[in-house]
Amino acid sequence: MSPTEPPTISEAISGDHKSLDEYADRIRSSTSVEDKTKWRNQLTWALARHAISEELTMYPAMEKHLGEEGLQLTNTDREQHQAVKEDLYKLQSLSPSSSEFSPLLDRLMTDLHEHIKHESEEDMPRLEEKLSREESQALARSFERTKMITPTRSHPSAPNRPYFENFAAMLAAPIDRFKDLLTTFPEKEELPKKHQSRL
């Protein structure tokens, strides 16, 4: 991808994955509870939006373009997402000073990396093969736009299939966004450019 060319769906999702790893590393390397909390909040904000946006944009595209194979792949993805959402739900309100925090963060990232491996080795190559570059770029734009209106916290009991998930997301997002106003985050300059805008 050239600096001026829009990303494909694979590139957009891979960029998010790199940012999520960076946020987890910043939690681990921070020395104060306050800084760990800010990076925990950033990880929660980014991962919750990422997961729901995949479910609302990429998974329907996989089911449409890959048929039965796409349905099987997205069923696996949704199961993996559920494990990640459950870990994130616990982590998002747990103090970094808790003895449970670091093991839970490690489990979350292990579950997430299992999912990332499945996406990068199974989902993305198959989907990209069926899409033109322009279609992939359009899907990436939809993925990014969807993140602007999704919940910013994990809601593992919410539905994870389109139409039901869309409705649940529309109900949860305003409450999450209000909570964001009362939450501490890293300073804008500390974030990768891609995530410097939270609103």
Side-chain angles (χ1 to χ4, degrees), residues 139-177:
L139 185 56
R141 284 191 299 275
S142 179
F143 170 74
E144 293 296 342
R145 277 194 310 266
T146 301
K147 287 194 298 185
M148 292 183 214
I149 59 168
T150 60
T152 59
R153 286 174 172 62
S154 182
H155 300 279
S157 61
N160 65 1
R161 297 203 178 262
Y163 308 126
F164 296 113
E165 184 171 32
N166 299 33
F167 182 70
M170 293 304 113
L171 294 176
I175 296 166
D176 286 356
R177 301 231 179 232

mmCIF file of all heavy atoms in Angstrom, residues 139-177:
data_model
loop_
_atom_site.group_PDB
_atom_site.id
_atom_site.type_symbol
_atom_site.label_atom_id
_atom_site.label_comp_id
_atom_site.label_asym_id
_atom_site.label_seq_id
_atom_site.Cartn_x
_atom_site.Cartn_y
_atom_site.Cartn_z
ATOM 1 N N LEU A 139 -14.662 -1.999 1.576
ATOM 2 C CA LEU A 139 -14.977 -2.736 2.800
ATOM 3 C C LEU A 139 -14.170 -2.174 3.977
ATOM 4 O O LEU A 139 -14.690 -2.039 5.084
ATOM 5 C CB LEU A 139 -14.713 -4.224 2.602
ATOM 6 C CG LEU A 139 -15.099 -5.158 3.739
ATOM 7 C CD1 LEU A 139 -16.583 -5.021 4.115
ATOM 8 C CD2 LEU A 139 -14.782 -6.604 3.362
ATOM 9 N N ALA A 140 -12.922 -1.811 3.720
ATOM 10 C CA ALA A 140 -12.089 -1.208 4.774
ATOM 11 C C ALA A 140 -12.685 0.125 5.226
ATOM 12 O O ALA A 140 -12.699 0.420 6.434
ATOM 13 C CB ALA A 140 -10.658 -1.019 4.272
ATOM 14 N N ARG A 141 -13.178 0.919 4.293
ATOM 15 C CA ARG A 141 -13.820 2.197 4.670
ATOM 16 C C ARG A 141 -15.053 1.942 5.525
ATOM 17 O O ARG A 141 -15.292 2.635 6.517
ATOM 18 C CB ARG A 141 -14.186 3.008 3.420
ATOM 19 C CG ARG A 141 -13.013 3.686 2.769
ATOM 20 C CD ARG A 141 -13.427 4.686 1.692
ATOM 21 N NE ARG A 141 -14.166 4.070 0.600
ATOM 22 C CZ ARG A 141 -13.607 3.488 -0.457
ATOM 23 N NH1 ARG A 141 -12.289 3.427 -0.572
ATOM 24 N NH2 ARG A 141 -14.345 2.972 -1.417
ATOM 25 N N SER A 142 -15.834 0.945 5.158
ATOM 26 C CA SER A 142 -17.019 0.595 5.935
ATOM 27 C C SER A 142 -16.626 0.125 7.339
ATOM 28 O O SER A 142 -17.248 0.509 8.338
ATOM 29 C CB SER A 142 -17.807 -0.494 5.200
ATOM 30 O OG SER A 142 -18.935 -0.866 5.924
ATOM 31 N N PHE A 143 -15.579 -0.682 7.419
ATOM 32 C CA PHE A 143 -15.065 -1.159 8.706
ATOM 33 C C PHE A 143 -14.661 0.027 9.593
ATOM 34 O O PHE A 143 -15.032 0.093 10.766
ATOM 35 C CB PHE A 143 -13.863 -2.086 8.430
ATOM 36 C CG PHE A 143 -13.074 -2.478 9.642
ATOM 37 C CD1 PHE A 143 -13.566 -3.403 10.542
ATOM 38 C CD2 PHE A 143 -11.821 -1.934 9.865
ATOM 39 C CE1 PHE A 143 -12.821 -3.782 11.659
ATOM 40 C CE2 PHE A 143 -11.070 -2.303 10.968
ATOM 41 C CZ PHE A 143 -11.573 -3.223 11.871
ATOM 42 N N GLU A 144 -13.934 0.978 9.028
ATOM 43 C CA GLU A 144 -13.483 2.147 9.803
ATOM 44 C C GLU A 144 -14.661 3.034 10.215
ATOM 45 O O GLU A 144 -14.715 3.513 11.341
ATOM 46 C CB GLU A 144 -12.455 2.956 9.007
ATOM 47 C CG GLU A 144 -11.139 2.237 8.769
ATOM 48 C CD GLU A 144 -10.347 1.930 10.034
ATOM 49 O OE1 GLU A 144 -10.598 2.546 11.095
ATOM 50 O OE2 GLU A 144 -9.457 1.053 9.961
ATOM 51 N N ARG A 145 -15.609 3.239 9.312
ATOM 52 C CA ARG A 145 -16.787 4.067 9.645
ATOM 53 C C ARG A 145 -17.622 3.411 10.740
ATOM 54 O O ARG A 145 -18.125 4.092 11.632
ATOM 55 C CB ARG A 145 -17.653 4.284 8.394
ATOM 56 C CG ARG A 145 -17.196 5.393 7.500
ATOM 57 C CD ARG A 145 -18.264 5.776 6.477
ATOM 58 N NE ARG A 145 -18.801 4.639 5.758
ATOM 59 C CZ ARG A 145 -18.361 4.196 4.584
ATOM 60 N NH1 ARG A 145 -17.359 4.797 3.987
ATOM 61 N NH2 ARG A 145 -18.925 3.167 4.005
ATOM 62 N N THR A 146 -17.753 2.102 10.670
ATOM 63 C CA THR A 146 -18.560 1.386 11.660
ATOM 64 C C THR A 146 -17.968 1.549 13.054
ATOM 65 O O THR A 146 -18.701 1.666 14.039
ATOM 66 C CB THR A 146 -18.695 -0.097 11.273
ATOM 67 O OG1 THR A 146 -19.313 -0.169 9.987
ATOM 68 C CG2 THR A 146 -19.537 -0.869 12.263
ATOM 69 N N LYS A 147 -16.637 1.592 13.144
ATOM 70 C CA LYS A 147 -15.995 1.771 14.456
ATOM 71 C C LYS A 147 -16.404 3.085 15.113
ATOM 72 O O LYS A 147 -16.350 3.200 16.331
ATOM 73 C CB LYS A 147 -14.472 1.694 14.332
ATOM 74 C CG LYS A 147 -13.969 0.291 14.093
ATOM 75 C CD LYS A 147 -12.481 0.155 14.312
ATOM 76 C CE LYS A 147 -11.670 0.989 13.378
ATOM 77 N NZ LYS A 147 -10.225 0.752 13.514
ATOM 78 N N MET A 148 -16.805 4.056 14.310
ATOM 79 C CA MET A 148 -17.192 5.366 14.870
ATOM 80 C C MET A 148 -18.503 5.311 15.643
ATOM 81 O O MET A 148 -18.779 6.191 16.447
ATOM 82 C CB MET A 148 -17.307 6.397 13.751
ATOM 83 C CG MET A 148 -16.008 6.754 13.104
ATOM 84 S SD MET A 148 -16.294 8.045 11.879
ATOM 85 C CE MET A 148 -15.087 7.619 10.653
ATOM 86 N N ILE A 149 -19.311 4.289 15.406
ATOM 87 C CA ILE A 149 -20.640 4.246 16.044
ATOM 88 C C ILE A 149 -20.852 3.020 16.930
ATOM 89 O O ILE A 149 -21.941 2.819 17.443
ATOM 90 C CB ILE A 149 -21.760 4.301 14.976
ATOM 91 C CG1 ILE A 149 -21.644 3.136 13.994
ATOM 92 C CG2 ILE A 149 -21.766 5.644 14.262
ATOM 93 C CD1 ILE A 149 -22.845 2.955 13.096
ATOM 94 N N THR A 150 -19.818 2.217 17.112
ATOM 95 C CA THR A 150 -19.971 1.004 17.919
ATOM 96 C C THR A 150 -19.713 1.283 19.398
ATOM 97 O O THR A 150 -19.100 2.292 19.747
ATOM 98 C CB THR A 150 -19.007 -0.101 17.454
ATOM 99 O OG1 THR A 150 -17.672 0.384 17.588
ATOM 100 C CG2 THR A 150 -19.286 -0.522 16.040
ATOM 101 N N PRO A 151 -20.123 0.373 20.260
ATOM 102 C CA PRO A 151 -19.788 0.492 21.686
ATOM 103 C C PRO A 151 -18.275 0.496 21.891
ATOM 104 O O PRO A 151 -17.523 -0.054 21.085
ATOM 105 C CB PRO A 151 -20.422 -0.750 22.309
ATOM 106 C CG PRO A 151 -21.530 -1.120 21.384
ATOM 107 C CD PRO A 151 -21.020 -0.758 20.013
ATOM 108 N N THR A 152 -17.854 1.117 22.975
ATOM 109 C CA THR A 152 -16.426 1.247 23.263
ATOM 110 C C THR A 152 -16.011 0.407 24.467
ATOM 111 O O THR A 152 -14.924 0.579 25.007
ATOM 112 C CB THR A 152 -16.059 2.716 23.507
ATOM 113 O OG1 THR A 152 -16.836 3.204 24.612
ATOM 114 C CG2 THR A 152 -16.328 3.564 22.276
ATOM 115 N N ARG A 153 -16.890 -0.486 24.883
ATOM 116 C CA ARG A 153 -16.607 -1.418 25.965
ATOM 117 C C ARG A 153 -17.131 -2.790 25.550
ATOM 118 O O ARG A 153 -17.977 -2.895 24.671
ATOM 119 C CB ARG A 153 -17.290 -0.971 27.259
ATOM 120 C CG ARG A 153 -16.575 0.223 27.856
ATOM 121 C CD ARG A 153 -17.294 0.782 29.052
ATOM 122 N NE ARG A 153 -16.525 1.795 29.723
ATOM 123 C CZ ARG A 153 -16.128 2.944 29.199
ATOM 124 N NH1 ARG A 153 -16.402 3.232 27.962
ATOM 125 N NH2 ARG A 153 -15.436 3.815 29.911
ATOM 126 N N SER A 154 -16.640 -3.809 26.235
ATOM 127 C CA SER A 154 -17.060 -5.164 25.913
ATOM 128 C C SER A 154 -18.426 -5.453 26.521
ATOM 129 O O SER A 154 -18.685 -5.140 27.689
ATOM 130 C CB SER A 154 -16.036 -6.166 26.456
ATOM 131 O OG SER A 154 -16.408 -7.474 26.119
ATOM 132 N N HIS A 155 -19.297 -6.060 25.724
ATOM 133 C CA HIS A 155 -20.633 -6.488 26.151
ATOM 134 C C HIS A 155 -20.822 -7.930 25.690
ATOM 135 O O HIS A 155 -21.509 -8.187 24.696
ATOM 136 C CB HIS A 155 -21.706 -5.575 25.547
ATOM 137 C CG HIS A 155 -21.558 -4.138 25.936
ATOM 138 N ND1 HIS A 155 -22.015 -3.655 27.138
ATOM 139 C CD2 HIS A 155 -20.975 -3.087 25.306
ATOM 140 C CE1 HIS A 155 -21.742 -2.359 27.226
ATOM 141 N NE2 HIS A 155 -21.107 -1.993 26.129
ATOM 142 N N PRO A 156 -20.198 -8.894 26.394
ATOM 143 C CA PRO A 156 -20.205 -10.272 25.899
ATOM 144 C C PRO A 156 -21.570 -10.938 25.838
ATOM 145 O O PRO A 156 -21.743 -11.915 25.115
ATOM 146 C CB PRO A 156 -19.277 -11.011 26.875
ATOM 147 C CG PRO A 156 -19.220 -10.169 28.086
ATOM 148 C CD PRO A 156 -19.455 -8.756 27.642
ATOM 149 N N SER A 157 -22.544 -10.397 26.556
ATOM 150 C CA SER A 157 -23.877 -11.005 26.504
ATOM 151 C C SER A 157 -24.729 -10.444 25.360
ATOM 152 O O SER A 157 -25.823 -10.943 25.107
ATOM 153 C CB SER A 157 -24.599 -10.827 27.841
ATOM 154 O OG SER A 157 -24.749 -9.458 28.125
ATOM 155 N N ALA A 158 -24.218 -9.438 24.657
ATOM 156 C CA ALA A 158 -24.963 -8.862 23.529
ATOM 157 C C ALA A 158 -24.929 -9.814 22.339
ATOM 158 O O ALA A 158 -23.995 -10.610 22.192
ATOM 159 C CB ALA A 158 -24.354 -7.521 23.135
ATOM 160 N N PRO A 159 -25.945 -9.761 21.466
ATOM 161 C CA PRO A 159 -25.937 -10.615 20.264
ATOM 162 C C PRO A 159 -24.715 -10.306 19.403
ATOM 163 O O PRO A 159 -24.212 -9.184 19.418
ATOM 164 C CB PRO A 159 -27.220 -10.214 19.531
ATOM 165 C CG PRO A 159 -28.028 -9.424 20.493
ATOM 166 C CD PRO A 159 -27.108 -8.898 21.542
ATOM 167 N N ASN A 160 -24.242 -11.284 18.630
ATOM 168 C CA ASN A 160 -23.064 -11.057 17.792
ATOM 169 C C ASN A 160 -23.337 -11.338 16.314
ATOM 170 O O ASN A 160 -22.437 -11.651 15.562
ATOM 171 C CB ASN A 160 -21.874 -11.890 18.297
ATOM 172 C CG ASN A 160 -22.091 -13.379 18.180
ATOM 173 O OD1 ASN A 160 -23.130 -13.835 17.699
ATOM 174 N ND2 ASN A 160 -21.122 -14.153 18.626
ATOM 175 N N ARG A 161 -24.596 -11.236 15.921
ATOM 176 C CA ARG A 161 -24.949 -11.417 14.510
ATOM 177 C C ARG A 161 -25.691 -10.185 14.009
ATOM 178 O O ARG A 161 -26.452 -9.567 14.746
ATOM 179 C CB ARG A 161 -25.822 -12.655 14.335
ATOM 180 C CG ARG A 161 -25.071 -13.911 14.732
ATOM 181 C CD ARG A 161 -25.639 -15.134 14.082
ATOM 182 N NE ARG A 161 -24.841 -16.285 14.459
ATOM 183 C CZ ARG A 161 -23.893 -16.789 13.694
ATOM 184 N NH1 ARG A 161 -23.630 -16.257 12.535
ATOM 185 N NH2 ARG A 161 -23.214 -17.834 14.092
ATOM 186 N N PRO A 162 -25.443 -9.826 12.725
ATOM 187 C CA PRO A 162 -26.098 -8.634 12.191
ATOM 188 C C PRO A 162 -27.600 -8.640 12.397
ATOM 189 O O PRO A 162 -28.227 -9.689 12.463
ATOM 190 C CB PRO A 162 -25.749 -8.670 10.705
ATOM 191 C CG PRO A 162 -24.427 -9.352 10.687
ATOM 192 C CD PRO A 162 -24.521 -10.400 11.776
ATOM 193 N N TYR A 163 -28.039 -7.452 12.438
ATOM 194 C CA TYR A 163 -29.369 -6.944 12.742
ATOM 195 C C TYR A 163 -29.594 -6.959 14.245
ATOM 196 O O TYR A 163 -29.833 -5.914 14.816
ATOM 197 C CB TYR A 163 -30.476 -7.613 11.944
ATOM 198 C CG TYR A 163 -30.180 -7.578 10.459
ATOM 199 C CD1 TYR A 163 -30.172 -8.732 9.701
ATOM 200 C CD2 TYR A 163 -29.840 -6.383 9.827
ATOM 201 C CE1 TYR A 163 -29.862 -8.694 8.343
ATOM 202 C CE2 TYR A 163 -29.520 -6.346 8.477
ATOM 203 C CZ TYR A 163 -29.539 -7.500 7.747
ATOM 204 O OH TYR A 163 -29.225 -7.480 6.419
ATOM 205 N N PHE A 164 -29.451 -8.095 14.905
ATOM 206 C CA PHE A 164 -29.574 -8.094 16.365
ATOM 207 C C PHE A 164 -28.408 -7.331 16.987
ATOM 208 O O PHE A 164 -28.578 -6.547 17.909
ATOM 209 C CB PHE A 164 -29.629 -9.525 16.904
ATOM 210 C CG PHE A 164 -30.832 -10.283 16.447
ATOM 211 C CD1 PHE A 164 -30.697 -11.361 15.594
ATOM 212 C CD2 PHE A 164 -32.101 -9.907 16.851
ATOM 213 C CE1 PHE A 164 -31.813 -12.061 15.150
ATOM 214 C CE2 PHE A 164 -33.225 -10.606 16.421
ATOM 215 C CZ PHE A 164 -33.076 -11.675 15.565
ATOM 216 N N GLU A 165 -27.187 -7.577 16.465
ATOM 217 C CA GLU A 165 -26.016 -6.885 17.000
ATOM 218 C C GLU A 165 -26.089 -5.390 16.700
ATOM 219 O O GLU A 165 -25.729 -4.568 17.538
ATOM 220 C CB GLU A 165 -24.727 -7.472 16.421
ATOM 221 C CG GLU A 165 -23.484 -6.843 17.032
ATOM 222 C CD GLU A 165 -22.212 -7.551 16.639
ATOM 223 O OE1 GLU A 165 -22.129 -8.098 15.525
ATOM 224 O OE2 GLU A 165 -21.299 -7.561 17.461
ATOM 225 N N ASN A 166 -26.569 -5.033 15.505
ATOM 226 C CA ASN A 166 -26.698 -3.618 15.157
ATOM 227 C C ASN A 166 -27.576 -2.906 16.182
ATOM 228 O O ASN A 166 -27.237 -1.823 16.660
ATOM 229 C CB ASN A 166 -27.357 -3.449 13.770
ATOM 230 C CG ASN A 166 -26.577 -4.076 12.656
ATOM 231 O OD1 ASN A 166 -25.914 -5.097 12.822
ATOM 232 N ND2 ASN A 166 -26.675 -3.482 11.492
ATOM 233 N N PHE A 167 -28.702 -3.510 16.499
ATOM 234 C CA PHE A 167 -29.641 -2.913 17.447
ATOM 235 C C PHE A 167 -29.019 -2.798 18.837
ATOM 236 O O PHE A 167 -29.081 -1.748 19.476
ATOM 237 C CB PHE A 167 -30.925 -3.748 17.496
ATOM 238 C CG PHE A 167 -31.961 -3.196 18.411
ATOM 239 C CD1 PHE A 167 -32.632 -2.014 18.110
ATOM 240 C CD2 PHE A 167 -32.271 -3.845 19.596
ATOM 241 C CE1 PHE A 167 -33.587 -1.497 18.969
ATOM 242 C CE2 PHE A 167 -33.227 -3.338 20.458
ATOM 243 C CZ PHE A 167 -33.888 -2.160 20.148
ATOM 244 N N ALA A 168 -28.377 -3.866 19.303
ATOM 245 C CA ALA A 168 -27.748 -3.845 20.631
ATOM 246 C C ALA A 168 -26.637 -2.800 20.677
ATOM 247 O O ALA A 168 -26.473 -2.086 21.673
ATOM 248 C CB ALA A 168 -27.195 -5.226 20.973
ATOM 249 N N ALA A 169 -25.875 -2.695 19.597
ATOM 250 C CA ALA A 169 -24.785 -1.714 19.543
ATOM 251 C C ALA A 169 -25.321 -0.290 19.613
ATOM 252 O O ALA A 169 -24.746 0.570 20.291
ATOM 253 C CB ALA A 169 -23.966 -1.908 18.272
ATOM 254 N N MET A 170 -26.425 -0.047 18.929
ATOM 255 C CA MET A 170 -26.998 1.303 18.950
ATOM 256 C C MET A 170 -27.479 1.689 20.352
ATOM 257 O O MET A 170 -27.457 2.853 20.733
ATOM 258 C CB MET A 170 -28.168 1.421 17.956
ATOM 259 C CG MET A 170 -27.771 1.306 16.505
ATOM 260 S SD MET A 170 -26.529 2.503 16.023
ATOM 261 C CE MET A 170 -25.140 1.444 15.710
ATOM 262 N N LEU A 171 -27.906 0.712 21.129
ATOM 263 C CA LEU A 171 -28.333 0.981 22.504
ATOM 264 C C LEU A 171 -27.148 1.193 23.437
ATOM 265 O O LEU A 171 -27.191 2.061 24.312
ATOM 266 C CB LEU A 171 -29.204 -0.172 23.025
ATOM 267 C CG LEU A 171 -30.547 -0.364 22.340
ATOM 268 C CD1 LEU A 171 -31.244 -1.603 22.884
ATOM 269 C CD2 LEU A 171 -31.435 0.860 22.526
ATOM 270 N N ALA A 172 -26.100 0.395 23.263
ATOM 271 C CA ALA A 172 -24.958 0.453 24.184
ATOM 272 C C ALA A 172 -23.997 1.602 23.878
ATOM 273 O O ALA A 172 -23.393 2.160 24.797
ATOM 274 C CB ALA A 172 -24.199 -0.871 24.148
ATOM 275 N N ALA A 173 -23.841 1.957 22.619
ATOM 276 C CA ALA A 173 -22.821 2.939 22.232
ATOM 277 C C ALA A 173 -22.962 4.290 22.948
ATOM 278 O O ALA A 173 -21.970 4.812 23.453
ATOM 279 C CB ALA A 173 -22.809 3.125 20.719
ATOM 280 N N PRO A 174 -24.156 4.884 23.019
ATOM 281 C CA PRO A 174 -24.232 6.192 23.695
ATOM 282 C C PRO A 174 -23.837 6.134 25.174
ATOM 283 O O PRO A 174 -23.189 7.054 25.680
ATOM 284 C CB PRO A 174 -25.706 6.596 23.542
ATOM 285 C CG PRO A 174 -26.228 5.782 22.423
ATOM 286 C CD PRO A 174 -25.436 4.507 22.431
ATOM 287 N N ILE A 175 -24.191 5.063 25.844
ATOM 288 C CA ILE A 175 -23.833 4.919 27.261
ATOM 289 C C ILE A 175 -22.322 4.770 27.391
ATOM 290 O O ILE A 175 -21.691 5.415 28.240
ATOM 291 C CB ILE A 175 -24.570 3.712 27.873
ATOM 292 C CG1 ILE A 175 -26.074 3.976 27.853
ATOM 293 C CG2 ILE A 175 -24.077 3.426 29.291
ATOM 294 C CD1 ILE A 175 -26.930 2.763 28.112
ATOM 295 N N ASP A 176 -21.725 3.941 26.525
ATOM 296 C CA ASP A 176 -20.274 3.775 26.551
ATOM 297 C C ASP A 176 -19.565 5.090 26.261
ATOM 298 O O ASP A 176 -18.573 5.428 26.904
ATOM 299 C CB ASP A 176 -19.832 2.729 25.527
ATOM 300 C CG ASP A 176 -20.145 1.304 25.953
ATOM 301 O OD1 ASP A 176 -20.633 1.102 27.079
ATOM 302 O OD2 ASP A 176 -19.891 0.389 25.143
ATOM 303 N N ARG A 177 -20.060 5.830 25.308
ATOM 304 C CA ARG A 177 -19.410 7.098 24.942
ATOM 305 C C ARG A 177 -19.507 8.112 26.087
ATOM 306 O O ARG A 177 -18.573 8.886 26.304
ATOM 307 C CB ARG A 177 -20.019 7.655 23.664
ATOM 308 C CG ARG A 177 -19.847 6.656 22.520
ATOM 309 C CD ARG A 177 -19.261 7.238 21.308
ATOM 310 N NE ARG A 177 -19.129 6.182 20.313
ATOM 311 C CZ ARG A 177 -18.002 5.927 19.690
ATOM 312 N NH1 ARG A 177 -16.941 6.623 19.959
ATOM 313 N NH2 ARG A 177 -17.936 4.978 18.799
#
